Structures are given as C-alpha cells and as structure tokens.
Amino acid sequence: MYSTNYNDLGTPRVDGPPRGKFVTLEINGREVTVPDGTSIMRAAASIGERVPKLCATDTLKAFGSCRLCLVEIEGRRGYPASCTTLVADGIKVRTESPKLSQLRRGVMELYISDHPLDCVSCPANGHCELQNVAEELDITETRYGLAGASHQHADKDASNPYFTFDPAMCIVCSRCVRACDEVQGTLALTIQGRGFASKVSASQDESFLASECVSCGACVEACPTVALTEKSLIRMGRPSKVTTTTCAYCGVGCSFNAESKDGNVVRMVPNRDGHANHGHACVKGRFAFGYATHPDRITTPMIRKSIEDPWQQVSWDEAIGHAARELRRIQATYGRDAIGGITSSRCTNEETYLVQKLVRAAFGNNNTDTCARVCHSPTGYGLKNTIGESAGTQHFDSVMKADAIIVVGANPTEGHPVFASQLKRRLRQGAKLIVIDPREIALVRTPHIKADYHLPVRPGTNVALFNSIAHVVVTEGLTKEQYVAERCDIDSYARWKAFVAEERNSPEMTAASTGVAPDLVRAAARLYASAGNGAIYYGLGVTEHSQGSTMVMCIANLAMATGNVGREGVGINPLRGQNNVQGSCDMGSFPHEFTAYRHVSDDAVRATFERAWGVPLLAEPGLRIPNMFEAAHDGSFKGIYIQGEDVVQSDPNTQHVTSAFTAMECVVVQDLFLNETAKYAHVFLPGSSFLEKDGTFTNAERRVSRVRRIMEPLAGFQDWEVTLLLSNALGYPMQYRHPSEIMDEIARLTPTFAGFSYEKLDRLGSIQWPCNDKAPEGTPIMHVGEFVRGKGQFFVTEFVPTSERATRRFPLLLTTGRILTQYNVGAQTRRTQNTVWAGADVLEIHPHDAEVRGIVQGDRVGLTSRSGEIVLPAEVTDRVRPGVVYTTFHFPESGTNVITTENSDWATNCPEYKVTAVEVVKVNQPSAWQKRFQDFTEHQLQLLKGRTPTHA
Ligand code: SF4
Ligand code: SF4
Ligand code: SF4
Ligand code: FES
C-alpha cells in the first residue's frame, strides 16, 4: 500500500510535446487537455474527477481486470474501462451515472463476498483501496453473503522477514505480479490457476523466502489490500505522521515517505514523487532500518586512557572536553600536523562540511580525508582532468534514452538495485547491453534480458581492454570527428588517437593479458560506438585498481571520441557506493581541495574561505588516509577524529591499519556502534542515524535531497551538533542553529552550490548541482554544448600491469564486491533481518580451480596473500572465471581486508581492492588472524560491557 498522501492518477504519465501532441476532451462537462495516449482515468483524475479503481495504479501499465473504472462515452456503446481506454479529441465522458453506480456496486459486492469488511481490526485500515472504494460506493455488506466458497482459510505466507502474504485478503488484481515484472524486473510472481482457483504464486509455488523474490517490496507497495503487508505495520498499527526523507544506504538516493507513530518508524514507503526512484526501493532502504534502534547502539559518550582499559561513561561535556584537551596536547607535543580528521560518506553534506572545516580551521592543518579515498577518488581525478567536473554527467532517467549501455566494473542489481530496475526496464524495451566484468553478474542473464556481450576481463587489465575497444573505434572509423573537432582539444585527441591505433593496443594483441576474445572486443566496440546513444555506467571495478584514474580517463576518452557526452541517453556515470560519497567529495573532504574541488593552493579561493572562517588556512595539501597511517607508524601522527567511518574494516591491509591506530594517543570515534575502529578508540562519541537528523545527501546523479528528522537523536545530539561542540571546545567557535544555516554557508562559498537553500529543496523536492544563477533549478545533464573545462582533454592511457600478479605461490586473483542484502562494512545491515539472506562472506571459486584443490561446496578454505591469511566457506560456482576468486567484505570476522594489499592508484592512492594474488587451500580451522580477532573482539566487548559511570 502506498503512502496515503500520494495522489495516484491511475495510469502512467505520458509525455506531451515536443514528443507527443495534446488532446482536448470533456469529462463531466469540464474541458481537459492532456497528452495524446493518456488514459481517460488519468485525464479525469488530473482534474479531480476520480474514477473508482482497484487494478490500476500509476506506476503500472493499465491492465483492465477489475471492471470498476467503467465510464460512459457519448455516442459509444457499452461501458469502457477508463484505465485502458485512451483519450480522443472531442469525446464527452461521464464518470458518474446511476447505471455506472449499479455496475460498480455489483463488482464490489462480489469482491466483498470473499473479503469481509473487518476493516476496524485490519492493519491496513485507512490505507486500503478496497476499503476506500467500498466506502465511496457506500457498500457495507454483500447480497451474495459470506457463506459461499471463499479463500478465507488459505494459509498465510509469513516466510519473508519483512512482509506477509495473506491469500485470504487477495482480490487477484495482479498488481503485485505486474509490479514485480514492470517495476522491479525480477518476475518472481505469477497468477496461477483460473477463475475462482486463481492465486498469486511466488516462483514455482514456493514461499516468498524460498522464491526468486529479492524483497524489494514493490509488490507490497502496489497491493491495494492487506494481502501483502509490512509486518511492522501489522505489529505497530496505523502510523500517524509522514515525513519525506532520503535512504541512507547506496548512492541511488531513493526518496521515502517515512511513516511513523510516537517517534518510531512504522514503515518506509518509497516516494512515488522521488526523482531518483519514482516510487521504487530495494530491501535495504525499504525494510532494513531496524539497526537505528538496535540494542547495540551506544548512546552515552565514553572515554578511556588506553584500549586495554574499560570504558568510562561520561557526560557530553566531559567527553568533548577530554577529546579537545587531548588533541591540543598532541599538537603541543608533536606539532600542529600530528592530528587529522576523517569525514563520512554516510553522514550528511552539512556534517561532512563541518568536519573538514573543523580540521582546516580548528586543527589548523589540511589533514582531512574521506572514505571516498578508498572508492571513487579516481573518478574525481579522471573526470576532472578530461571533462572538467568530478561527477557523473547524467540523471538516472537518462538511461531510458540510451541505445547501447556499457556496464563496467559494477554490479547494479546488487549494489544499486533501484537503478538496476530502471536499466532493466530500458533493456526490455530493446536497448543493447555490454557487461565488462570478471564475473558473470546477474545482468548478464536475468529474466527477459541477456547481455549482448559479456567481456570477462581478467582483474587488473581494464586499461588494456579499454585501449583495445578504443583501437577498434579509431581504426574502424567509428569516431565522431565533427563532435570532437567542435568540443575537444585537437592536439590531445590526435595524440590519443595515434596511441590507441598502435597495433599493440589491438584486441588481438591485448587478448593475452585481458583474457577477452578479440571478436568480442570488436563487436562490443562497434555496438557502443554505432548504436546511437551510448552510455557508460561504472563502479568500483573501475576505480579500485593501481590504474583506477587511468581507467576513468579511458572511459572519458572513449565517450568523447564517440560523441557520447552532453545529451540525454549518453554519458559517463559513476555508480557511487555509499549514500553520500558524491556529497562528501563535493564538500571539501579531500586534503587538497575545498568545496567543489577547488585546490587549497588557489590563493583566491583560499582567501574566500579565510575571510569567511576568520582564520589563516594552509596552501599545502594535508595527509591522505594512507599517509596518516604511515605517519602514525613513524610517530608523527598521534590523534584523529573519525565521524561515521569504520576504516579498520574498510581499508586495505587491516594489520597495517590496526597497528597505526595502536600507535596513536587519541583516537576519537563518533559512531552508532562500537565498530572495528572504535575498538581502538580512546573517546567514543555516540552518533545519530539518518532517522535522527536533518540535512542533505547527494546521490550519484549529483542530486541533493533532504534528510529529515523522524525521531529524536537517541544520544541527544545530531552528528553536526557534536562536531560543533568539539570545535567550540577547541577554541574555534562555530554557531549554527540548524543544518539549513550550514547549507547557506556552503552556498555562499561554493559557486556550484550558490543557488541552494533548504527552502528551494523543499519546494523542488531535490536539485542536481550545479545550481546557481545560470541553472537556478539545477542541472540534470552536464557538459551540454561544451565541457565544463572548455575543450575536452584526451589523455594517453598507457597500460601498466599491476605488480599484483598471479604467481606460482599465489596463482589466483581475488576480486571483491558486495551483495544486495548487505551494505558496505555491514554495521547497519548485519543488525537487521537481512542476515536471513546472507549471514557470512563466502569465497566464490570456479569448479575447475576447486576441483584441482579438492574443494567442494561449503568447505572451509584458507585464502593467503602476501598480506595475510583468512578462512572462508567456499562456494563453487561458474559465476567466476577460472583463475579468479571473489568475496565480499560485509562481515568483520571474515577479515577480507587482512589479505588485500597496499597497492593503490597512482594518482589518488585508492586501494587496489580488486586485484589480490592469492592461493586457496582447504583448511579446518580459522586463520591465526581470525583467532586473534576473535580474542580481541571478545576482550573489547567485555570492556564495553563493564563500562562504568565516571562518578559511580
Ligand atoms: S496480493 Fe494484492 S496486489 Fe497481488 S493480486 Fe492479491 S490483492 Fe492484488
Ligand atoms: S518483493 Fe519485489 S522481488 Fe519480491 S515478489 Fe515482490 S516485487 Fe517481486
Ligand atoms: S539502498 Fe539504494 S537502491 Fe536501495 S532503497 Fe536505498 S538508495 Fe534505493
Ligand atoms: S481499474 Fe480499470 S479495470 Fe481495474
């Protein structure tokens, strides 16, 4: 059931001019003009003349099964269904008459005969369309009685942790089936049987949990009755408040109407007016919000002298004062640069902005960095240099105009599910798909979709592969010379062209390193360059390499050379991992850049910030995260403030990271839980979840959306308030009464944000930056007409193989990724019922590699690299190619990053998570690291359990 505050017009929107034409008709004596192709139902609803309906909803194609929406059309016989009948010029429609009322009442009475109106005790009371229509038609009982054959005793399916299916309440309208097909694209549901026996069935008549269902909730959202209902709604009852906010999981940035009661979230209903998701969601944002009130939340500040000491619970004043004194003591002892801060891509723009401001203005150095260092920093570098802006070029809706789509190093159905659903919709309409990935990701073969080409590239050879794609484009004359001549730097283009045309870059010559058949490369290159609109979507499989920045430039080169930037349907689209990766980068988190990627050495920019912040600022970049760890090892970096990040779990070479933390004297962690990093902390400042704060997130489309507080912060403060307290305690005053004032400051200091305000965000719903005088309502597509940097710059992208190669000692290449139901380091999703689907990381290994090692499904296998050893359960699968193994990093006890190396991108230090040479052997006990981890964790949990109030 969708949110009650939504105005459902019954059938999907149809585009008007310039693509279509308008039609004028009369409905109940009133003239209405709508785009041709609109249904009568929608035209009527658009002027407030609602027609009763049950099987229609405006997110799904009209189906015409319930026969409730009948209308009369002057001069036409019969009573056509208004949902399936389209408008026509000059027709006169009546939506109400005694005959229509009689027909509708007849239909409703039939429904009611199998669906008693026990509305008062029903959890859907007030949300149910069947109830609404019954009330509208004034039906309280049925002439057919309730004694006949019915479905009232059919078994309820409660297998899914988040929703139930009650066949007794089903009116077989098929909205759930169509939602699963059209909106989600999983096709898990069917209507089985005919007539009275017809029923909704998941997969092969399985339970929802056992079926192919991915628990996106689209069917629940579409269901007009209580048949499919959230368990939280059943448990908690009718919500009393609706607040629009933004998902705190992935970079799609879905908008939700959070329905709450007494300050508790009852359910998260995807917002049909949401610009990024149009009413869709995935299992994480839709259902996995329980972590916010999980008993593991720490809601009192704590301090301790060493990590061997028990925690002491203290007041906020004491904790903040202690942290400030310690950080200042360290600076006095070891120098100004001995401390730094890490901002979080999970926190809001305003919070991130404040943390980097705290570092630059209160710490007095530029030692600020963000977790984007370990994911999309090469995107910033590569795109800034080639096209002039460190961000994706399109809005998500642009994909609906793409003809050929390359998905490279990304797994959207797992990592960006709502975008994946939109992409699949476009593919079902006929767009072509090229997948470039070492694994056979789900998009390669999914219901009704088969990728035209899957290029199973060997990890670490992306650049060689893209050079060979470019080789085909250039040598076969598939470049768009006029576009390049008008928009790009010709000299750099000529150099690039000559480089990629060299024979050594041909698919035939690169095949030995990439492992991809030359024919496949040639076919894929031709398809992308010649299909019309070519769009590229990429993820961390592009960036997390020693040549991550080079690869981003490869993508930009190819897109420019084929004229595929600067209009709808094309573009370069980094799929950002965390909810606010784009925002944390935009907000000046990097040590070398102020907001909007302006270098700290730029005197004019720095002067602007100095004036606004009232302190002198350094012109030299500060330390990046890996440099902070190095400096900690050499004794020159002793204190850190980390807001909302778990670098111990997420950064590579865990043992190197933990020894850096043990070398520090004051580690201040602000988080919801005692995460892996907090186990090395001396000050713990309780964080607030997205449900407890106001602010904004920026998604992968550069779309800034409001986050709105639904419940009071459990620890008393929102995260931005804690930074403010710390800054004041450090002697650098910060005064903001609300995050809107922080946004106002960002807008004053940042040309691409100059037009932003909370008032405008509330009015428009969301805004894509740049938003300023030139683009007062934002910029859905960038680089239209000209590139942001002026002329597009091509770069020669020489392939330099990573030093991390398969050897006799480490013959397999490990690559990493994520799964749908878990998120990043898992701190949130592990504390929800999503663990029903995935309770541990596993190692995917090809049957051939498994067989030669005597490994079978479920065996414990030891995974050894030159950094360390861990043990995981094996999953034998041909999703991975021979020679490649794959795992995720959602569970700290797996220690995936114990074995990843310190190799990193040459330009940005982004770790090379995607390539680690390993050997895999069958073992029967955890690794030495895992045993140490277990002991350390137990010890730290004991220290937490034994925490004492200071003045006890
Ligand atoms: S479960 Fe709901 S949406 Fe599906 S057919 Fe039944 S009533 Fe319609
Ligand atoms: S929850 Fe999503 S995937 Fe599962 S049946 Fe419903 S629509 Fe399909
Ligand atoms: S996790 Fe991503 S796709 Fe899923 S609901 Fe949240 S923003 Fe949307
Ligand atoms: S709403 Fe038109 S037939 Fe059901």
Side-chain angles (χ1 to χ4, degrees), residues 63-273:
F63 193 57
S65 71
C66 75
R67 306 299 296 164
L68 262 172
C69 66
L70 311 180
V71 291
E72 293 171 356
I73 302 176
E74 205 172 283
R76 287 197 201 170
R77 291 178 52 166
Y79 304 94
S82 63
C83 62
T84 48
T85 309
L86 303 184
V87 293
D89 250 330
I91 60 169
K92 292 186 174 161
V93 178
R94 267 157 57 118
T95 66
E96 296 298 337
S97 73
K99 182 64 188 170
L100 288 173
S101 183
Q102 182 202 355
L103 290 170
R104 288 173 189 154
R105 289 176 64 87
V107 172
M108 272 306 282
E109 285 186 57
L110 272 174
Y111 279 126
I112 302 303
S113 68
D114 195 13
H115 190 124
L117 290 172
D118 298 329
C119 302
V120 179
S121 58
C122 176
N125 187 13
H127 278 293
C128 173
E129 292 179 53
L130 189 71
Q131 178 189 26
N132 294 347
V133 177
E135 277 173 13
E136 223 172 290
L137 299 177
D138 199 21
I139 292 174
T140 49
E141 55 190 6
T142 168
R143 274 171 295 155
Y144 305 105
L146 300 168
S150 84
H151 298 89
Q152 293 310 305
H153 302 294
D155 288 339
K156 208 167 168 172
D157 177 355
S159 60
N160 184 290
Y162 297 120
F163 61 84
T164 59
F165 171 54
D166 185 353
M169 296 299 173
C170 176
I171 57 169
V172 202
C173 66
S174 190
R175 271 165 65 161
C176 54
V177 178
R178 289 179 283 139
C180 195
D181 294 1
E182 295 172 28
V183 178
Q184 165 57 21
T186 293
L187 289 83
L189 302 178
T190 46
I191 300 284
Q192 269 194 354
R194 314 187 104 198
F196 179 78
S198 57
K199 61 166 192 169
V200 173
S201 161
S203 292
Q204 311 307 313
D205 209 6
E206 290 160 275
S207 71
F208 270 78
L209 187 62
S211 74
E212 290 145 303
C213 166
V214 293
S215 204
C216 70
C219 55
V220 182
E221 208 268 343
C223 181
T225 74
V226 73
L228 282 160
T229 304
E230 297 90 346
K231 286 182 175 173
S232 57
L233 182 66
I234 297 173
R235 198 172 57 243
M236 297 171 73
R238 193 172 173 174
S240 53
K241 193 174 169 199
V242 180
T243 314
T244 303
T245 192
T246 305
C247 180
Y249 281 116
C250 85
V252 177
C254 295
S255 176
F256 281 92
N257 287 322
E259 297 186 351
S260 60
K261 183 179 184 179
D262 306 328
N264 293 308
V265 177
V266 175
R267 59 181 195 149
M268 297 287 280
V269 183
N271 180 6
R272 291 195 185 189
D273 292 324

Side-chain angles (χ1 to χ4, degrees), residues 53 84 146 159 200 271 276 368 371 389 655 665 734 859 876:
K53 64 180 182 59
T84 48
L146 300 168
S159 60
V200 173
N271 180 6
T368 169
C371 50
E389 193 55 270
Q655 298 178 94
E665 293 180 6
M734 283 190 189
D859 274 351
V876 180

Side-chain angles (χ1 to χ4, degrees), residues 247-254 256 281-286 415-419:
C247 180
Y249 281 116
C250 85
V252 177
C254 295
F256 281 92
C282 82
V283 60
K284 294 189 285 285
R286 178 75 155 98
H416 302 86
V418 165
F419 170 68

